Amino acid sequence: MPIDRFLQIPEEQLQPEEAGLLTKAREAALSAYAPYSKFSVGAALLLENGEVITASNQENAAFPSGLCAERVALFYAGSRFPGVALKSIAVAVLSDKKEKDRVYAPCGACRQVMAETENRQNQPFKIIFEGPGNLITYCNGIEPLLPFSFKLSTE
Ligand code: THU
């Protein structure tokens, strides 16, 4: 069912590459350190050189010191493979206490970091995210998730 510029699709309709990435994101959620929220998130990135990077959310007793799965993954990719473009990111949520049929979309801070990644590489990447009930949402590029985003010139 199309929602504006997002698509909500059953898992079987994902391309094999994206389905594989989503599986990696689900696996990554198992490594979350989320004792406070009990909300485990996994992210998997596919880079243009074929590397797959996975990460999970890491919380802290001083709450703002924790970090979302997406940013752990994106910052790791930027430091380990600078200049290598991101092709796709998949994000999966694991939680028993959350409603199964809800969409859990990346938070605003992660969208801003995705926007920076897109600007930096000057090409969009696919974004796939799912909630605990495996409802999959898909979009191409950050613009549908973060229209009119903040940018600075690097010149
Ligand atoms: N979280 C993510 O990892 N990604 C998001 O996009 C939203 C929220 C994490 C942060 C925190 O550890 C937990 O989910 C609850 O907010």
Side-chain angles (χ1 to χ4, degrees):
M1 180 219 310
I3 320 176
D4 196 17
R5 284 164 298 162
F6 298 96
L7 275 181
Q8 287 197 307
I9 49 178
E11 190 170 349
E12 314 78 72
Q13 281 178 28
L14 284 176
Q15 300 293 316
E17 190 176 86
E18 291 152 10
L21 203 61
L22 187 59
T23 302
K24 298 236 184 254
R26 289 175 185 154
E27 286 165 6
L30 298 171
S31 74
Y33 176 61
Y36 304 104
S37 70
K38 305 199 169 27
F39 191 89
S40 298
V41 184
L45 312 185
L46 175 64
L47 306 187
E48 215 144 59
N49 63 0
E51 287 284 340
V52 173
I53 287 166
T54 60
S56 55
N57 53 327
Q58 301 294 313
E59 297 186 348
N60 194 283
F63 284 8
S65 303
L67 203 60
C68 294
E70 296 93 316
R71 276 176 290 161
V72 175
L74 288 162
F75 290 147
Y76 181 73
S79 42
R80 180 82 176 75
F81 299 104
V84 179
L86 175 63
K87 273 180 84 178
S88 319
I89 176 169
V91 186
V93 166
L94 260 193
S95 172
D96 318 337
K97 63 173 188 176
K98 311 290 168 187
E99 311 102 281
K100 296 276 178 214
D101 56 353
R102 263 202 52 186
V103 172
Y104 286 95
C107 81
C110 290
R111 294 179 197 199
Q112 180 64 31
V113 172
M114 289 182 203
E116 185 81 24
T117 303
E118 192 172 283
N119 295 337
R120 184 176 174 179
Q121 67 185 38
N122 204 21
Q123 71 185 69
F125 49 84
K126 291 173 187 146
I127 306 170
I128 303 142
F129 45 96
E130 71 166 3
N134 306 117
L135 179 62
I136 297 166
T137 311
Y138 180 99
C139 63
N140 192 22
I142 190 63
E143 211 274 338
L145 281 174
L146 190 65
F148 210 41
S149 68
F150 178 73
K151 295 174 186 148
L152 283 178
S153 166
T154 51
E155 271 140 52

